[in-house]
Amino acid sequence: MKPDTAQRVDFAALAEPQFLPAVPSANPPTWLGVMGGGQLGRMFAQAAQQMGYQVVVLEPAADCPAGQVAQRLINAGYTDGPALDELVAQCAAVTTEFENVPADSLARLAQQIFVAPNAAGVSVAQDRIAEKTFFVGCAEKSGVLPAPHKVIATQADIDAIGDELLPGILKTVRMGYDGKGQVRVASREDVRAAFESMGGVTCLLEKMLPLAYEISVLTARGVDGQSVVYPIAENVHRDGILFTTTVPGPNVTAECAKKAQDAATAIVAELGYVGVLCIEFFVLTDGSLVVNEMAPRPHNSGHYTMDACVTSQFAQQVRAMARLPLGDCRQHSPAVMLNILGDVWFEGDTYREPSWDKVVALPGANLHLYGKDDPRPGRKMGHVTFVGHTLDDARRQFEAACAILGIAP
Ligand code: ATP
Ligand code: MG
């Protein structure tokens, strides 16, 4: 199968304004819709409700984190025609909480109501080839490049791998998240085995880069083309899943921060994007910056904004989709965000309730649980954000929480 994905996205059209700035704002208590019922949809709904909006969620699963809090849950698939029509009939605007929402559904909704982000922006982030092609295409404006890479769709592509791409990481082009759909490879033979193990779907081989640390930049852009950028978040992953986000990042230099923020501003503008966009970057051991991938929605690494910034990433998404002025991204407290995975409900094989009473007793601790009732190892169940007068204060409480929860800090 030849990859045609890179051609499918019309980059020129992406830069076109999606709606005239004259489109009036959608004011509370009107309805806002969200595609997807996970924790991001839940926190979006809570932010929207705080501002007086009503929220309807479209999600096939009956019991879902967003459905528990939204005023209305439409239990149907993301491509269900009558369900999409119901969203159109009820909502002033629709957003998505996950990047793998069928882009065609967003396009269909956008024929009748305001959709942010739109199908084109989401499509780029759904497909690693389109995403890398886009990053390369706007490198002159953004000042950053992605990792050297090559599309692997056939055995001939594997034969043609140059030594400079090895060792590398083979990633499926679509549906990868939390390190799923990725295999580390040292040789062409490894690539062949990994390609086969993933069922021969189109992949991207990326050169393994020497990472010093990882950062993400949360940005939001309104219909009027104005954009805002949050402070740089420094991220630590464990087993492919985000473990902590620390802001300000202890390793982030002022020069790196400026470069990453400028890159994010250029990327979101080049996409003609409306809404919250999170861009992940690698900082290499030589200090250089490499753009990795982007998420067309609020992001796990932006959860700290709920407790440490003037406007949370979810409130920002509400503002963008409702065509209200964007909010202040200023951070008022240093913060460490700790992801809570299902692992903390288990000691060995024994189930135990985590000691939330002890965790919330820690100064500056803000507990967020997502209403999921079946903890499993590796499943995101919630997060705790520790804020302090100084980053050291926040870090100390984070370490204390790790001790309480049985997590290695
Ligand atoms: P996410 O949960 O962020 O959606 P993902 O599964 O889409 O993750 P990536 O973000 O591309 O995958 O990669 C996951 C992690 O693997 C990165 O955060 C980084 O630690 C490591 N990684 C990915 N690509 C490279 C690379 N080219 N060189 C070195 N490390 C890499
Ligand atoms: Mg990633």
Side-chain angles (χ1 to χ4, degrees):
M1 189 180 67
K2 267 264 162 259
D4 63 342
T5 41
Q7 284 77 48
R8 232 173 28 226
V9 178
D10 179 355
F11 293 117
L14 293 184
E16 294 296 318
Q18 305 168 64
F19 268 73
L20 295 174
V23 176
S25 59
N27 294 324
T30 192
W31 287 79
L32 301 177
V34 55
M35 299 285 278
Q39 64 263 21
L40 299 176
R42 177 188 179 97
M43 292 182 275
F44 165 83
Q46 289 167 333
Q49 289 166 340
Q50 181 181 317
M51 292 168 74
Y53 289 97
Q54 301 174 84
V55 176
V56 51
V57 169
L58 176 62
E59 158 68 45
D63 181 29
C64 58
Q68 291 168 6
V69 306
Q71 275 89 350
R72 184 174 174 213
L73 170 65
I74 303 175
N75 257 153
Y78 305 121
T79 56
D80 185 290
L84 294 172
D85 289 343
E86 283 188 60
L87 280 185
V88 166
Q90 186 153 35
C91 299
V94 169
T95 189
T96 179
E97 61 115 40
F98 70 119
E99 63 256 50
N100 289 321
V101 61
D104 288 349
S105 295
L106 295 183
R108 173 178 169 153
L109 291 168
Q111 288 171 356
Q112 287 170 280
I113 50 171
F114 187 70
V115 177
N118 69 7
V122 171
S123 303
V124 180
Q126 281 177 345
D127 181 310
R128 290 194 199 273
I129 300 174
E131 192 173 53
K132 291 276 193 291
T133 307
F134 168 74
F135 286 144
V136 170
C138 75
E140 220 160 277
K141 288 181 180 146
S142 71
V144 289
L145 277 166
H149 58 275
K150 176 177 169 46
V151 175
I152 304 292
T154 63
Q155 293 293 333
D157 290 332
I158 299 177
D159 296 335
I161 293 169
D163 289 340
E164 73 286 353
L165 285 179
L166 295 168
I169 305 186
L170 192 69
K171 302 181 179 179
T172 56
V173 165
R174 299 183 76 88
M175 298 291 179
Y177 71 101
D178 287 349
K180 293 187 176 68
Q182 312 201 349
V183 181
R184 299 194 170 210
V185 288
S187 65
R188 278 174 209 82
E189 285 325 301
D190 283 359
V191 176
R192 224 179 288 284
F195 182 60
E196 265 153 38
S197 77
M198 295 197 280
V201 296
T202 304
C203 288
L204 201 72
L205 174 65
E206 263 182 57
K207 181 184 174 66
M208 178 77 79
L209 299 173
L211 310 190
Y213 56 96
E214 299 186 51
I215 60 173
S216 54
V217 184
L218 195 62
T219 174
R221 185 169 174 278
V223 265
D224 58 359
Q226 299 288 322
S227 64
V228 292
V229 191
Y230 284 88
I232 307 297
E234 187 172 328
N235 302 318
V236 175
H237 296 85
R238 273 195 191 164
D239 302 324
I241 304 175
L242 185 66
F243 173 55
T244 58
T245 293
T246 303
V247 193
N251 291 298
V252 180
T253 61
E255 189 196 355
C256 165
K258 173 152 186 5
K259 197 160 188 236
Q261 286 189 324
D262 289 350
T265 303
I267 286 168
V268 77
E270 192 67 7
L271 267 178
Y273 186 91
V274 176
V276 171
L277 179 77
C278 184
I279 308 169
E280 298 178 9
F281 295 87
F282 299 142
V283 183
L284 306 190
T285 46
D286 68 0
S288 58
L289 194 64
V290 170
V291 59
N292 176 32
E293 61 172 357
M294 55 190 175
R297 51 170 171 77
H299 191 255
N300 196 166
S301 68
H303 289 355
Y304 82 93
T305 60
M306 299 169 85
D307 301 302
C309 294
V310 176
T311 309
S312 81
Q313 61 172 348
F314 299 103
Q316 202 70 277
Q317 183 78 312
V318 172
R319 286 167 177 251
M321 76 186 286
R323 304 178 298 277
L324 295 169
L326 296 179
D328 189 345
C329 293
R330 201 156 29 100
Q331 183 181 8
H332 50 70
S333 305
V336 178
M337 189 280 316
L338 167 68
N339 256 349
I340 301 294
L341 304 182
D343 306 61
V344 303
W345 273 257
F346 296 92
E347 203 169 340
D349 286 339
T350 316
Y351 182 90
R352 55 122 197 242
E353 204 59 46
S355 303
W356 299 126
D357 51 342
K358 296 197 178 101
V359 172
V360 299
L362 298 169
N366 295 278
L367 177 65
H368 301 255
L369 291 173
Y370 307 147
K372 300 181 183 178
D373 60 9
D374 50 340
R376 289 188 304 269
R379 185 170 198 218
K380 289 178 182 170
M381 300 295 290
H383 68 271
V384 190
T385 300
F386 301 92
V387 294
H389 289 298
T390 66
L391 190 55
D392 276 348
D393 291 340
R395 271 212 73 91
R396 256 194 305 280
Q397 304 311 331
F398 151 74
E399 281 162 15
C402 287
I404 293 166
L405 295 170
I407 300 171

